[in-house]
Amino acid sequence: MSAIETIHIDGHWRPAASGGTREILDPADATVLAVVSEGGVEDTDAAVEAARRAFDTGDWPRTPTAERAALLRRVADLLQRDREEIALIESRDTGKTLEEGRVDVDDVTAAFRYFADLVTNESGGRVVDAGSADVHSVVVHEPVGVCALITPWNYPLLQASWKIAPALAAGNTFVLKPSEVTPLSTAHLMRLLAEAGLPDGVANLVTGPGDPVGARMSSHPGVDLVSFTGGLVSGTKVAAAAAATVKKVALELGGKNPNIVFADACADDEGFDTAVDQALNAAFIHSGQVCSAGSRLILEESLHDRFVTELARRARRIRLGRGTEPGVECGPLVSQQQLDKTEAYVASALAEGAVLRCGGKRPEPSETRPATGYFYEPTVLDRCTREMRVVREETFGPILTVETFRTEDEAVALANDTEYGLAGAVFSGDTARARRVAARLRHGTVWINDYHPYLPQAEWGGFGKSGVGRELGPTGLDEYREAKHVYENLRPAPVRWFAG
């Protein structure tokens, strides 16, 4: 299989300077899906130089806002034109279902359109009252400069769009490094940016591992901002590397997300069905490989037996298989490494006293589940405690832990007992209680009687070790801008501070 050139610098696709390549595996059967370029420091430096040149001497940062917005809208239209093709790429590359891939394309499209609308509707600056008619004072926003964008493997296209759309809307240039495990849809997006008319050098792509590519991007003196989405360990390395040159840093580092269910949410059969269904969605969408996955189910004690019994029954019925096959509800894990990690977490939980209610193993092979694929059954672990490793660490697999509480205060304490703070949910039939608990949760997004929806116009990010900064919303745009105060004296005159 010949290698695909996936390094894009200054408007040109090229192989890695070293000639290095990497095999991209289909997680459903571990066969080679594609061979791509494996970049290194030399490629990264060339990409940063191109982005630097495009920002310092090119037209994009000085392009009128309306024209930048129009380009973002063209990209959105092209995404919809290629919706089925991109969804298939995303499904085969990550293992998620084809329907999840389609939803991702629609969400990416919405992000580009949102940031186009946001910058179009902004005023020319914020006038500041200086207390004198002789002074004109205004705060304006300008692009940061060259942005290093580092994205994860679970939502490669979506996470790229959350960075690319605001970066371009603000007038920046960038170098993008997707995960070396799932780079294919990102490469397609780069082609769409060029087709939409983005000038050469504004958008640059280097495929390769975090070390050396991501490390070099984070420390490069020619980069003004680094935005990283991924794991906590890698994120702290990015922050440390960026510190020496005092870059702006935005980090989204995942979470260990609680889903609190009060008994009054299940007062009737409809409420019970909804709460169980949402608990499954929270934990097992994309095989749990979601930073906001509701992997900690926190149940009111009186509800426990009935709820867990039904939860496990439904989890056993989840149709597991190749994401492109009709009727499949849950695909494989993304890699052998992630499969091994999932097995290790389940083993540690059982050793620490958790009770296995369902799953806990690889499924039997079938026509849609090749034996070589990275499949793992949706797993429910009951009688868990906050001291267990599986409860405290981000597992990023199809594992749902169950804890119980008796009082509202205990529920809040359990939900907040995490070093992360990305997202969480409250299910209750008592509106006042639900809103009261939501207000007490130290998490960046809190859902009430729902799980997983997000809006591009609402900020996304977390408290604690879930990261620094926000994506989406007006704040997500401001991450890619610098504020400048321009103070104009309309009637200049000597100050006479010094006698002279």
Side-chain angles (χ1 to χ4, degrees), residues 15-21 38-40 42-43:
S18 67
T21 60
E38 178 91 323
E42 185 175 346
D43 306 288

Side-chain angles (χ1 to χ4, degrees), residues 207-224:
T207 50
D211 187 6
V213 177
R216 179 57 177 161
M217 288 168 65
S218 302
S219 64
H220 199 295
V223 169
D224 301 297

Side-chain angles (χ1 to χ4, degrees), residues 72 74-84 86 105-106 108-110 112 157 161 188-189 192:
L72 294 185
R74 289 196 296 273
V75 173
D77 292 341
L78 292 171
L79 284 161
Q80 286 301 298
R81 181 198 70 186
D82 292 357
R83 182 175 185 258
E84 287 302 308
I86 298 171
V105 178
D106 292 343
V108 169
T109 302
F112 273 91
L157 193 69
S161 75
H188 190 100
L189 177 58
L192 296 187

Side-chain angles (χ1 to χ4, degrees), residues 257-260 292 421-426 441 443-448 450-451:
N257 312 291
N259 181 19
I260 303 171
S292 56
L422 183 60
V426 182
L441 294 183
H443 299 272
T445 293
V446 179
W447 296 287
I448 296 177
D450 209 331
Y451 207 101

Side-chain angles (χ1 to χ4, degrees), residues 69 264 401 466 489:
D264 58 27
T401 63
S466 281
N489 188 337

Side-chain angles (χ1 to χ4, degrees), residues 15 39 45 52 56 99 145 162 169 171 261 271 337 353-354 435 462 470:
D45 286 349
R52 184 81 264 165
D56 291 341
E99 185 55 35
W162 287 11
V261 181
Q337 179 184 11
R435 292 177 178 175
R470 291 294 185 269

